[in-house]
Amino acid sequence: MPKKVYIHTFGCQMNKYDSETIAGILQDYSLIDDPEKANLILINTCAVRQHAEDKVYSLVGRLSIIKKDNPDLKIGLCGCLAEQYGENLLKRFSALDMVIGPDNIYKLPGLLDELYKGRRIVLTGHPSESVRSLPTKRVDKIKAYVPIVLGCNNRCSYCVVPWTRGNIRSRTPQQILNELKNLANSGYQEVTLLGQNVNDYGCDFKDSPIAGLKSVAGLEPVAGLEPVDFCKLLIMVNELDGLKRIRFITSHPKNFKSELINTLPQLQKVCEYIHLPLQSGSNKILKLMNRGYTIEFYQQLVEDIRQKIPTVSITTDVIVGFPGEEEEDFNQTLKAVEEIRFDSAFTFKFSPRPNTPSATYPDQLSSEVKQDRLEKLIASTSRITKEKNSRLIEGIEEILVEGQNPKDTSFFMGRTRTDKIVFFKANADSLIGKMVKVKIIGCGTFSLKGELL
Ligand code: SAH
Ligand code: SF4
Ligand code: F3S
């Protein structure tokens, strides 16, 4: 009888991909969705804010109870929190058998025997062998995430990711293209290229800033290929047969090159969608955050992108309540979001993280001030999102149908090229995975309503 693994995933798309990899490499295990029937429970964790951390601890508490009735069950913690606290987590939670950081999951199959012998395991760090291609067992059959670059070399002063994911390591173009070809051959329609900062793709390749095929991370150079940066990689990906849509996240404003802006309109499969985190509208705060751009630079960048790609949807991340953020700074953020008019915005209260410089900056703000600013910001960004959505009413959109609306199965759900969700009435399962045209007939803040044409 195959053993059974239950995987619970928190956090970002990179974590979702890692969970699919874990499911793929645990070949002796079948993936189940009931933790009570599992031989192995893995919790893939996120450390980006305190709230993400707290959610993990409460799940560990709940799952520990299952272990009392099932002493053979093993529980492992993977992901960014595992990397951040390592052994301390084993000390803190007696129910945990294993703590394994994101760059060590490829070792997992070889560790399981040890685990079942009763050894408690901690594996953290960023070995260069982690830049590799592993089998995946994917949840979705239509769209897939594919990492192009691991880690991050930026040091935004609030961010834990460079600690948990390590320095930048780009996958080679061959690794990426092979994975994409396999996805295309298996019928996938849409891929999202992943990186903490995709614009840095290739900057770590040895011998030349973008000499993509030299000896990176111990891999042999492959003859006959040109040096590759993000723009060149996108051109190569766009030429692959089979895939219909290509997306990428996340773009850091500071090195979004004009060459990329000029190239994007020529890449037919690359969708008109750019996630471009602003973080703050105040130059004082941007500097304290170590973001490497000013609000004027950011606004000019948005203008340049919109000029070349008029139908583009631009989304963002904003943090409120960064240490030292005065009313005046916050008002500049409000002014910026009103002027820029994002298609949508993810908004966060600043959360001090271990090891990050801003956790010890003076002038930390109270949770009341943060909450108040968050609410004001959300009122503004969601009003703008809805206004932007309402402008699409009466227009025709091409959407990739992803599935039925679980809340009302007479409705199907798909996304526009600009990543907006559209619900529409239909009664044929056969639409799933197809591109269809819909007329937009209504909208809310988070979705559009369409009519199948
Ligand atoms: N590499 C990506 C994503 C980083 S994490 C990027 O550079 O955009 C996703 C978002 O979480 C960030 O854009 C930021 O807005 C938010 N975030 C990161 N650290 C945070 C912290 N300490 N407190 C609050 N929000 C944070
Ligand atoms: Fe964190 Fe900044 Fe790197 Fe994004 S670019 S992962 S916010 S350090
Ligand atoms: Fe992702 Fe959270 Fe780690 S956002 S990179 S899982 S800290």
Side-chain angles (χ1 to χ4, degrees):
M1 258 220 328
K3 291 185 178 158
K4 297 178 190 128
V5 59
Y6 168 80
I7 305 176
H8 192 109
T9 309
F10 293 99
C12 63
Q13 289 85 352
M14 205 62 106
N15 258 19
K16 293 199 176 100
Y17 178 83
D18 286 347
S19 289
E20 293 180 331
T21 303
I22 293 171
I25 58 176
L26 291 179
Q27 285 168 353
D28 301 338
Y29 283 76
S30 58
L31 188 62
I32 57 165
D33 48 19
D34 179 359
E36 303 211 11
K37 300 207 172 93
N39 307 92
L40 176 64
I41 292 179
L42 295 172
I43 311 171
N44 200 3
T45 63
C46 173
V48 78
R49 284 170 290 276
Q50 186 61 45
H51 183 59
E53 195 174 323
D54 295 342
K55 282 199 287 192
V56 173
Y57 299 148
S58 87
L59 182 66
V60 172
R62 277 179 278 140
L63 295 177
S64 307
I65 297 167
I66 302 180
K67 207 171 172 183
K68 289 204 177 103
D69 299 329
N70 179 4
D72 294 333
L73 170 67
K74 300 291 172 194
I75 305 183
L77 223 142
C78 318
C80 287
L81 209 54
E83 185 66 37
Q84 178 156 344
Y85 294 123
E87 193 170 4
N88 290 333
L89 291 164
L90 285 192
K91 289 189 187 138
R92 179 166 169 191
F93 298 102
S94 60
L96 286 184
D97 301 286
M98 176 170 63
V99 172
I100 180 164
D103 282 327
N104 284 285
I105 52 179
Y106 69 97
K107 296 178 187 154
L108 203 49
L111 297 173
L112 293 170
D113 276 351
E114 293 290 306
L115 201 64
Y116 283 100
K117 279 183 203 151
R119 215 186 110 204
R120 294 180 95 198
I121 294 169
V122 180
L123 264 186
T124 53
H126 309 284
S128 55
E129 304 81 54
S130 56
V131 188
R132 52 170 63 211
S133 293
L134 294 166
T136 52
K137 200 180 277 173
R138 295 185 181 262
V139 178
D140 207 307
K141 299 280 169 266
I142 296 158
K143 49 182 206 170
Y145 298 113
V146 174
I148 60 169
V149 51
L150 315 181
C152 181
N153 274 10
N154 294 310
R155 293 291 180 267
C156 303
S157 64
Y158 50 81
C159 184
V160 84
V161 174
W163 296 94
T164 63
R165 294 264 167 185
N167 277 337
I168 193 162
R169 284 145 298 142
S170 303
R171 294 178 79 200
T172 63
Q174 307 89 291
Q175 288 175 320
I176 298 164
L177 294 173
N178 284 343
E179 186 160 348
L180 292 172
K181 276 183 206 155
N182 288 338
L183 288 167
N185 290 339
S186 314
Y188 282 83
Q189 311 274 308
E190 177 179 309
V191 292
T192 301
L193 309 178
L194 291 183
Q196 297 303 334
N197 173 9
V198 289
N199 299 318
D200 277 344
Y201 176 76
C203 76
D204 56 318
F205 290 137
K206 286 186 190 138
D207 303 335
S208 141
I210 52 164
L213 302 148
K214 304 279 180 186
S215 51
V216 56
L219 294 159
E220 284 305 305
V222 173
L225 286 170
E226 295 280 307
V228 175
D229 65 0
F230 180 57
C231 194
K232 290 214 172 67
L233 180 74
L234 266 188
I235 295 171
M236 291 156 98
V237 174
N238 187 64
E239 280 166 10
L240 285 178
D241 287 334
L243 298 172
K244 301 233 169 55
R245 286 178 170 187
I246 299 156
R247 304 184 189 278
F248 53 88
I249 47 172
T250 297
S251 303
H252 196 303
K254 80 173 171 188
N255 53 1
F256 202 111
K257 299 197 186 83
S258 51
E259 187 199 357
L260 180 60
I261 304 178
N262 292 331
T263 307
L264 284 174
Q266 297 156 35
L267 305 179
Q268 294 206 328
K269 295 178 190 167
V270 178
C271 295
E272 296 75 23
Y273 166 74
I274 294 173
H275 185 59
L276 195 68
L278 168 66
Q279 311 299 5
S280 170
S282 150
N283 283 333
K284 180 187 105 188
I285 298 299
L286 286 171
K287 194 151 198 250
L288 286 170
M289 288 176 162
N290 195 26
R291 287 291 288 176
Y293 54 84
T294 61
I295 182 63
E296 292 77 18
F297 175 91
Y298 185 99
Q299 287 189 297
Q300 185 60 51
L301 176 62
V302 168
E303 211 170 286
D304 293 348
I305 295 171
R306 284 179 172 158
Q307 206 227 328
K308 290 278 179 199
I309 317 167
T311 55
V312 72
S313 150
I314 299 183
T315 61
T316 202
D317 293 344
V318 183
I319 299 175
V320 297
F322 189 83
E325 183 188 76
E326 293 174 274
E327 204 62 37
E328 168 60 19
D329 300 304
F330 175 64
N331 286 337
Q332 285 171 12
T333 298
L334 278 182
K335 180 167 168 273
V337 299
E338 290 288 336
E339 285 174 7
I340 298 166
R341 297 180 63 78
F342 292 105
D343 287 84
S344 90
F346 299 92
T347 50
F348 308 104
K349 287 187 273 187
F350 170 73
S351 171
R353 305 311 295 137
N355 300 324
T356 62
S358 64
T360 52
Y361 282 176
D363 306 320
Q364 301 280 332
L365 303 188
S366 70
S367 54
E368 290 75 26
V369 170
K370 290 183 199 173
Q371 184 61 30
D372 181 56
R373 289 183 185 169
L374 184 72
E375 283 167 22
K376 285 189 179 125
L377 181 63
I378 291 175
S380 166
T381 55
S382 44
R383 173 179 46 75
I384 294 167
T385 299
K386 193 161 177 200
E387 281 168 14
K388 292 204 102 169
N389 284 347
S390 68
R391 300 233 170 112
L392 300 174
I393 292 175
E394 294 294 312
I396 311 283
E397 296 280 342
E398 184 181 59
I399 61 173
L400 172 59
V401 184
E402 291 179 17
Q404 277 174 309
N405 180 358
K407 290 191 194 137
D408 177 353
T409 50
S410 64
F411 276 86
F412 282 70
M413 186 282 253
R415 276 171 207 264
T416 63
R417 280 176 65 100
T418 52
D419 210 39
K420 293 180 196 278
I421 295 173
V422 184
F423 290 107
F424 64 99
K425 229 180 171 78
N427 50 17
D429 273 10
S430 56
L431 286 180
I432 294 174
K434 300 261 157 55
M435 293 285 181
V436 299
K437 291 236 159 83
V438 291
K439 182 175 170 190
I440 304 302
I441 54 170
C443 79
T445 308
F446 301 109
S447 66
L448 302 166
K449 191 169 170 196
E451 200 173 66
L452 198 56
L453 289 180

